[in-house]
Amino acid sequence: MIAVGYREILSLVFLCAHCVSTLRWLHMFQLNSYKVGVQLRWLAQNKRYWLQDNGIALCVFPFSFLVSFLVSFLAPDGASLASWAFILLFAGQCWRNRPCRMKMKKPLVYTNRIKRMLATYTILVLGTVFLAFRAGSLEIQATELAVAHLLAPGFILLANGINAPLEKAINHRYVEDVRRKLREHPGLMVLGVTGSYGKTSTKSFLHQLLSSKYDVLTTPENFNTTLGVVRTLRERLKPYHELFVCEMGARNVGDIREICDLARPTHGVITSIGPQHLESFKTLENIVKTKFELVDSLPKDGAAFLNLNDERVRAEASRLDESGCKTVTYGFSDSCDYQARDMKVSVEGSSFSVKLPDSTEMRIETSLIGVHNITNVLAAIAVADFMGVDRRDIIVGASRLKGVPHRLQLICRGGDIVIDDAYNSNAAGAKAALDVLALFEGYKILVTPGMVELGPRQNELNENFGAQAAEICDFVILVGQRQTKSVYNGLLHAHYPESRIFVAANLGEGLSRLSAVDAGARQKVILLENDLPDNY
């Protein structure tokens, strides 16, 4: 009777330890977009987290052999002592992995999908506990539970696999619901916006300029996947909307085509193409092909707006079939339909002239800073002018444009200037951010965890970033030792003084060091470049 009581307590404590550990793996699975391959790759690259989370559970195995030996040969009455030892091991595991110990930037969101996955997971774990409970001895039960604990990441993937047909059916119903709404809205124009970088800022500027003539719906924040577009249209599309500006993101070949098959864009903008998400795309050619899936999907009476400042867009544009949709080009060269020239950029903002297709000009003044922002504004001006927005409204609208949060957002904090570029994670964007930092007087400080998901070029691009930072920054704070090693090497190769580099274990430590940096009498100008989520 007493032995059964111990085993029940052991099962209960195991359930607590397993659930606490599982929440961490579930959180990472959500951050990895529920992609099994991405999750497995993340697990392979972050074995240390698994070891840290299971250090105490691993102690169960040698302890089980010890207990078995002692009980069988030396201390037959020592079962109760051994039972408490097993219970304490799992209780220690539960305490070590308690949620409040893990500081997360973005907590686990309990979506309906997560709730369904937790329901399936609960059935799996209770079944495991039942089977272990029927084991012949205490040490065998403890060993089986320890194995189950070590396989916690696998339980999540198994629950996801079991739920896959249900999730597919739910997604199919949502997609069909959106198709029905779009059929009931035949006059809706759809403007797709894609690119490796610049698409979110361009989308925001398009919304602000086009709203003077049209009722505009845009995808919010980073809702740029198929399901993000589905959610936007299901929840926000109203009968009075005339234009839908749809940001289109991609991690794999075919992603843009899938969004286009659903949204059926009439117009499209390609902002730029560069080395991003190379781990899944593998090659730059695949990225180019995927971004131009937007142009391929446009009807013949539609229009594609192409950024000729970008060499890859320019090269692909020259190969486009003339039998396709109309192409409208923008950029800084004379050959562009919409050309920006006479550009002036300072810490106060930017001004430039736009030569229009009819050879007239308009002068634009905006508080946005950086040459790259001129390109993004120019894209919005080209689309707005092409779609009939009054040119006087374009000039006024451009003067009132507001930047996108966390994308070169200027913040005055205390006596410091902060350039918040936390959402940036590509080589061209990082270089543009450093160029903006160089515009400012003062003591220039870079805080960054480096760039990720750049495949085999990750080290090379991060080293280049370090070398570029060495030319501009007075002090550099690198967040995280592992992924910033290449940036660190780039700084040293550029003969940057090691005494002006600080490598922080996490963002909190980095910001603490930032406060202690002695800038003398100069004002601190801080560039926050990229902020990796918790799965990095």
Side-chain angles (χ1 to χ4, degrees), residues 419-439:
I419 305 170
D420 182 356
D421 201 35
Y423 274 10
N424 215 341
S425 61
N426 61 81
K431 174 65 169 61
L434 286 171
D435 290 341
V436 170
L437 179 66
L439 292 173

PDB file of all heavy atoms in Angstrom, residues 419-439:
ATOM      1  N   ILE A 419      18.794  54.755 -32.249  1.00  0.00           N
ATOM      2  CA  ILE A 419      18.297  54.379 -33.576  1.00  0.00           C
ATOM      3  C   ILE A 419      17.859  52.922 -33.464  1.00  0.00           C
ATOM      4  O   ILE A 419      18.683  52.016 -33.422  1.00  0.00           O
ATOM      5  CB  ILE A 419      19.384  54.541 -34.655  1.00  0.00           C
ATOM      6  CG1 ILE A 419      19.939  55.963 -34.634  1.00  0.00           C
ATOM      7  CG2 ILE A 419      18.822  54.200 -36.029  1.00  0.00           C
ATOM      8  CD1 ILE A 419      21.174  56.143 -35.511  1.00  0.00           C
ATOM      9  N   ASP A 420      16.550  52.712 -33.377  1.00  0.00           N
ATOM     10  CA  ASP A 420      16.009  51.367 -33.145  1.00  0.00           C
ATOM     11  C   ASP A 420      15.795  50.676 -34.485  1.00  0.00           C
ATOM     12  O   ASP A 420      14.845  50.963 -35.208  1.00  0.00           O
ATOM     13  CB  ASP A 420      14.694  51.482 -32.378  1.00  0.00           C
ATOM     14  CG  ASP A 420      14.090  50.113 -32.060  1.00  0.00           C
ATOM     15  OD1 ASP A 420      14.661  49.103 -32.512  1.00  0.00           O
ATOM     16  OD2 ASP A 420      13.060  50.063 -31.362  1.00  0.00           O
ATOM     17  N   ASP A 421      16.690  49.766 -34.811  1.00  0.00           N
ATOM     18  CA  ASP A 421      16.567  48.989 -36.057  1.00  0.00           C
ATOM     19  C   ASP A 421      16.486  47.508 -35.696  1.00  0.00           C
ATOM     20  O   ASP A 421      17.097  46.653 -36.337  1.00  0.00           O
ATOM     21  CB  ASP A 421      17.779  49.257 -36.950  1.00  0.00           C
ATOM     22  CG  ASP A 421      17.502  48.936 -38.411  1.00  0.00           C
ATOM     23  OD1 ASP A 421      16.362  49.145 -38.859  1.00  0.00           O
ATOM     24  OD2 ASP A 421      18.423  48.483 -39.110  1.00  0.00           O
ATOM     25  N   ALA A 422      15.695  47.233 -34.637  1.00  0.00           N
ATOM     26  CA  ALA A 422      15.687  45.898 -34.049  1.00  0.00           C
ATOM     27  C   ALA A 422      15.090  44.849 -34.968  1.00  0.00           C
ATOM     28  O   ALA A 422      15.355  43.656 -34.805  1.00  0.00           O
ATOM     29  CB  ALA A 422      14.916  45.923 -32.727  1.00  0.00           C
ATOM     30  N   TYR A 423      14.245  45.249 -35.943  1.00  0.00           N
ATOM     31  CA  TYR A 423      13.632  44.252 -36.815  1.00  0.00           C
ATOM     32  C   TYR A 423      14.485  43.916 -38.030  1.00  0.00           C
ATOM     33  O   TYR A 423      14.089  43.128 -38.851  1.00  0.00           O
ATOM     34  CB  TYR A 423      12.260  44.750 -37.281  1.00  0.00           C
ATOM     35  CG  TYR A 423      11.145  44.425 -36.320  1.00  0.00           C
ATOM     36  CD1 TYR A 423      11.412  43.924 -35.061  1.00  0.00           C
ATOM     37  CD2 TYR A 423       9.820  44.615 -36.688  1.00  0.00           C
ATOM     38  CE1 TYR A 423      10.404  43.636 -34.177  1.00  0.00           C
ATOM     39  CE2 TYR A 423       8.792  44.324 -35.796  1.00  0.00           C
ATOM     40  CZ  TYR A 423       9.089  43.839 -34.552  1.00  0.00           C
ATOM     41  OH  TYR A 423       8.075  43.550 -33.676  1.00  0.00           O
ATOM     42  N   ASN A 424      15.631  44.538 -38.124  1.00  0.00           N
ATOM     43  CA  ASN A 424      16.463  44.315 -39.294  1.00  0.00           C
ATOM     44  C   ASN A 424      17.339  43.081 -39.111  1.00  0.00           C
ATOM     45  O   ASN A 424      17.831  42.825 -38.023  1.00  0.00           O
ATOM     46  CB  ASN A 424      17.366  45.532 -39.518  1.00  0.00           C
ATOM     47  CG  ASN A 424      17.569  45.788 -40.980  1.00  0.00           C
ATOM     48  OD1 ASN A 424      17.357  44.913 -41.813  1.00  0.00           O
ATOM     49  ND2 ASN A 424      17.992  46.989 -41.301  1.00  0.00           N
ATOM     50  N   SER A 425      17.534  42.312 -40.151  1.00  0.00           N
ATOM     51  CA  SER A 425      18.402  41.139 -40.020  1.00  0.00           C
ATOM     52  C   SER A 425      18.971  40.741 -41.373  1.00  0.00           C
ATOM     53  O   SER A 425      19.034  39.582 -41.710  1.00  0.00           O
ATOM     54  CB  SER A 425      17.621  39.964 -39.424  1.00  0.00           C
ATOM     55  OG  SER A 425      16.537  39.617 -40.265  1.00  0.00           O
ATOM     56  N   ASN A 426      19.389  41.727 -42.148  1.00  0.00           N
ATOM     57  CA  ASN A 426      19.998  41.400 -43.429  1.00  0.00           C
ATOM     58  C   ASN A 426      21.180  42.325 -43.669  1.00  0.00           C
ATOM     59  O   ASN A 426      21.301  43.396 -43.071  1.00  0.00           O
ATOM     60  CB  ASN A 426      18.981  41.525 -44.565  1.00  0.00           C
ATOM     61  CG  ASN A 426      18.450  42.940 -44.689  1.00  0.00           C
ATOM     62  OD1 ASN A 426      19.102  43.801 -45.277  1.00  0.00           O
ATOM     63  ND2 ASN A 426      17.274  43.205 -44.112  1.00  0.00           N
ATOM     64  N   ALA A 427      22.069  41.886 -44.560  1.00  0.00           N
ATOM     65  CA  ALA A 427      23.341  42.584 -44.745  1.00  0.00           C
ATOM     66  C   ALA A 427      23.142  43.996 -45.287  1.00  0.00           C
ATOM     67  O   ALA A 427      23.767  44.947 -44.800  1.00  0.00           O
ATOM     68  CB  ALA A 427      24.221  41.768 -45.691  1.00  0.00           C
ATOM     69  N   ALA A 428      22.280  44.161 -46.290  1.00  0.00           N
ATOM     70  CA  ALA A 428      22.082  45.484 -46.881  1.00  0.00           C
ATOM     71  C   ALA A 428      21.449  46.439 -45.869  1.00  0.00           C
ATOM     72  O   ALA A 428      21.835  47.612 -45.775  1.00  0.00           O
ATOM     73  CB  ALA A 428      21.210  45.370 -48.124  1.00  0.00           C
ATOM     74  N   GLY A 429      20.465  45.942 -45.104  1.00  0.00           N
ATOM     75  CA  GLY A 429      19.804  46.773 -44.102  1.00  0.00           C
ATOM     76  C   GLY A 429      20.767  47.185 -42.998  1.00  0.00           C
ATOM     77  O   GLY A 429      20.730  48.328 -42.515  1.00  0.00           O
ATOM     78  N   ALA A 430      21.631  46.262 -42.589  1.00  0.00           N
ATOM     79  CA  ALA A 430      22.604  46.572 -41.538  1.00  0.00           C
ATOM     80  C   ALA A 430      23.591  47.639 -42.006  1.00  0.00           C
ATOM     81  O   ALA A 430      23.954  48.549 -41.254  1.00  0.00           O
ATOM     82  CB  ALA A 430      23.334  45.302 -41.123  1.00  0.00           C
ATOM     83  N   LYS A 431      24.016  47.528 -43.278  1.00  0.00           N
ATOM     84  CA  LYS A 431      24.937  48.542 -43.833  1.00  0.00           C
ATOM     85  C   LYS A 431      24.228  49.904 -43.898  1.00  0.00           C
ATOM     86  O   LYS A 431      24.824  50.946 -43.561  1.00  0.00           O
ATOM     87  CB  LYS A 431      25.364  48.101 -45.238  1.00  0.00           C
ATOM     88  CG  LYS A 431      26.203  49.137 -45.992  1.00  0.00           C
ATOM     89  CD  LYS A 431      27.546  49.374 -45.312  1.00  0.00           C
ATOM     90  CE  LYS A 431      28.503  50.184 -46.174  1.00  0.00           C
ATOM     91  NZ  LYS A 431      28.006  51.517 -46.504  1.00  0.00           N
ATOM     92  N   ALA A 432      22.949  49.899 -44.319  1.00  0.00           N
ATOM     93  CA  ALA A 432      22.197  51.161 -44.387  1.00  0.00           C
ATOM     94  C   ALA A 432      22.062  51.786 -43.004  1.00  0.00           C
ATOM     95  O   ALA A 432      22.144  53.013 -42.850  1.00  0.00           O
ATOM     96  CB  ALA A 432      20.820  50.900 -44.994  1.00  0.00           C
ATOM     97  N   ALA A 433      21.857  50.951 -41.983  1.00  0.00           N
ATOM     98  CA  ALA A 433      21.732  51.463 -40.619  1.00  0.00           C
ATOM     99  C   ALA A 433      23.045  52.087 -40.146  1.00  0.00           C
ATOM    100  O   ALA A 433      23.051  53.134 -39.481  1.00  0.00           O
ATOM    101  CB  ALA A 433      21.310  50.337 -39.677  1.00  0.00           C
ATOM    102  N   LEU A 434      24.160  51.458 -40.490  1.00  0.00           N
ATOM    103  CA  LEU A 434      25.460  52.039 -40.127  1.00  0.00           C
ATOM    104  C   LEU A 434      25.673  53.375 -40.845  1.00  0.00           C
ATOM    105  O   LEU A 434      26.245  54.316 -40.272  1.00  0.00           O
ATOM    106  CB  LEU A 434      26.590  51.058 -40.481  1.00  0.00           C
ATOM    107  CG  LEU A 434      26.721  49.839 -39.565  1.00  0.00           C
ATOM    108  CD1 LEU A 434      27.726  48.847 -40.144  1.00  0.00           C
ATOM    109  CD2 LEU A 434      27.148  50.249 -38.159  1.00  0.00           C
ATOM    110  N   ASP A 435      25.213  53.469 -42.091  1.00  0.00           N
ATOM    111  CA  ASP A 435      25.326  54.740 -42.825  1.00  0.00           C
ATOM    112  C   ASP A 435      24.532  55.839 -42.132  1.00  0.00           C
ATOM    113  O   ASP A 435      24.963  56.999 -42.093  1.00  0.00           O
ATOM    114  CB  ASP A 435      24.827  54.555 -44.266  1.00  0.00           C
ATOM    115  CG  ASP A 435      25.772  53.701 -45.104  1.00  0.00           C
ATOM    116  OD1 ASP A 435      26.943  53.557 -44.706  1.00  0.00           O
ATOM    117  OD2 ASP A 435      25.325  53.166 -46.139  1.00  0.00           O
ATOM    118  N   VAL A 436      23.356  55.482 -41.619  1.00  0.00           N
ATOM    119  CA  VAL A 436      22.557  56.464 -40.879  1.00  0.00           C
ATOM    120  C   VAL A 436      23.270  56.858 -39.593  1.00  0.00           C
ATOM    121  O   VAL A 436      23.348  58.049 -39.243  1.00  0.00           O
ATOM    122  CB  VAL A 436      21.156  55.892 -40.572  1.00  0.00           C
ATOM    123  CG1 VAL A 436      20.409  56.797 -39.587  1.00  0.00           C
ATOM    124  CG2 VAL A 436      20.348  55.740 -41.853  1.00  0.00           C
ATOM    125  N   LEU A 437      23.843  55.885 -38.894  1.00  0.00           N
ATOM    126  CA  LEU A 437      24.582  56.178 -37.660  1.00  0.00           C
ATOM    127  C   LEU A 437      25.732  57.147 -37.940  1.00  0.00           C
ATOM    128  O   LEU A 437      26.004  58.059 -37.142  1.00  0.00           O
ATOM    129  CB  LEU A 437      25.115  54.868 -37.059  1.00  0.00           C
ATOM    130  CG  LEU A 437      25.930  54.987 -35.769  1.00  0.00           C
ATOM    131  CD1 LEU A 437      25.058  55.494 -34.622  1.00  0.00           C
ATOM    132  CD2 LEU A 437      26.551  53.630 -35.391  1.00  0.00           C
ATOM    133  N   ALA A 438      26.365  56.974 -39.101  1.00  0.00           N
ATOM    134  CA  ALA A 438      27.511  57.825 -39.450  1.00  0.00           C
ATOM    135  C   ALA A 438      27.111  59.290 -39.651  1.00  0.00           C
ATOM    136  O   ALA A 438      27.956  60.186 -39.553  1.00  0.00           O
ATOM    137  CB  ALA A 438      28.183  57.296 -40.719  1.00  0.00           C
ATOM    138  N   LEU A 439      25.826  59.545 -39.930  1.00  0.00           N
ATOM    139  CA  LEU A 439      25.366  60.923 -40.137  1.00  0.00           C
ATOM    140  C   LEU A 439      25.426  61.752 -38.858  1.00  0.00           C
ATOM    141  O   LEU A 439      25.496  62.979 -38.893  1.00  0.00           O
ATOM    142  CB  LEU A 439      23.911  60.917 -40.650  1.00  0.00           C
ATOM    143  CG  LEU A 439      23.662  60.355 -42.058  1.00  0.00           C
ATOM    144  CD1 LEU A 439      22.157  60.266 -42.309  1.00  0.00           C
ATOM    145  CD2 LEU A 439      24.326  61.222 -43.112  1.00  0.00           C
TER     146      LEU A 439
END
